[in-house]
Amino acid sequence: MKTITTREWDAGAGKEKRHEGVQFSGLDLCETDLEGIEFSECVFRDGRFNCAQAVDVAFLNCRFVNCNFFDATFTNCKAVGSGFEGCSFDLTTVDGGDWSFIVLPRADLGSATFTGVRMREADLTGVRARNGTMRGLDLSAAQLTGADFTSCDLRGTDLEAFDPRTVEMRNAVITADQAVTLAMSLGLQIRDA
């Protein structure tokens, strides 16, 4: 597997629009603008994406290990099938795009904002989204066991995968329609007076 560091990235590799099967080691993309690039089956190890702006970037079946996404913004990006291990998401913003089939167990998303993102069949086991914002998400068939959404803004998010018996949701913000979905998941019968 070819390895690219910050030096090679700055020397020209960063101008390429497609990277496949590459390992990026210690890549410093702080305050970098990325647009229309595709990364396929790449590994990002100890990368820094602080304050980076990514637009229409695809990370397909990639692996992120010990990466820092502080204040990074992802707009209409794809992260389909990608896995995240030991990554930090403080103040990260994800707006739109497709993050289906991602593996993001036990991640701390409490200060992150996810809006309008497709996250079908995502593994969010044990994720900590306390006080976070996860609005308008498609979480169909997501794995959420042990996740903590205390005081999280979940308005507009598909809650069919949520089981209030295995997911912490105290003080979460939802709409009346979502409340009905949760009540039905508990086997309650909803009737007019």
Side-chain angles (χ1 to χ4, degrees), residues 43-150:
V43 176
F44 294 84
R45 191 175 300 279
D46 302 316
R48 294 174 57 217
F49 293 81
N50 307 33
C51 303
Q53 302 277 333
V55 178
D56 296 321
V57 176
F59 300 96
L60 307 176
N61 298 308
C62 292
R63 239 178 105 217
F64 297 86
V65 182
N66 298 326
C67 292
N68 190 336
F69 296 97
F70 175 79
D71 205 17
T73 301
F74 297 89
T75 306
N76 294 322
C77 292
K78 291 182 180 178
V80 176
S82 292
F84 298 82
E85 304 165 36
C87 296
S88 171
F89 297 94
D90 294 330
L91 302 177
T92 304
T93 300
V94 180
D95 185 14
D98 191 348
W99 289 49
S100 297
F101 307 103
I102 63 165
V103 180
L104 194 62
R106 295 174 297 286
D108 186 349
L109 304 178
S111 67
T113 300
F114 284 74
T115 53
V117 185
R118 183 177 179 162
M119 299 178 78
R120 289 176 170 252
E121 298 189 47
D123 181 354
L124 302 177
T125 305
V127 79
R128 298 180 310 279
R130 182 181 288 255
N131 299 311
T133 301
M134 302 191 84
R135 294 188 64 171
L137 306 186
D138 179 356
L139 290 174
S140 303
Q143 298 174 40
L144 301 166
T145 303
D148 184 355
F149 293 96
T150 301

Side-chain angles (χ1 to χ4, degrees), residues 130 144 146-152 154 162-172:
R130 182 181 288 255
L144 301 166
D148 184 355
F149 293 96
T150 301
S151 300
C152 184
L154 293 167
F162 282 66
D163 182 345
R165 294 166 294 208
T166 62
V167 175
E168 181 60 57
M169 297 182 66
R170 186 176 295 121
N171 294 320

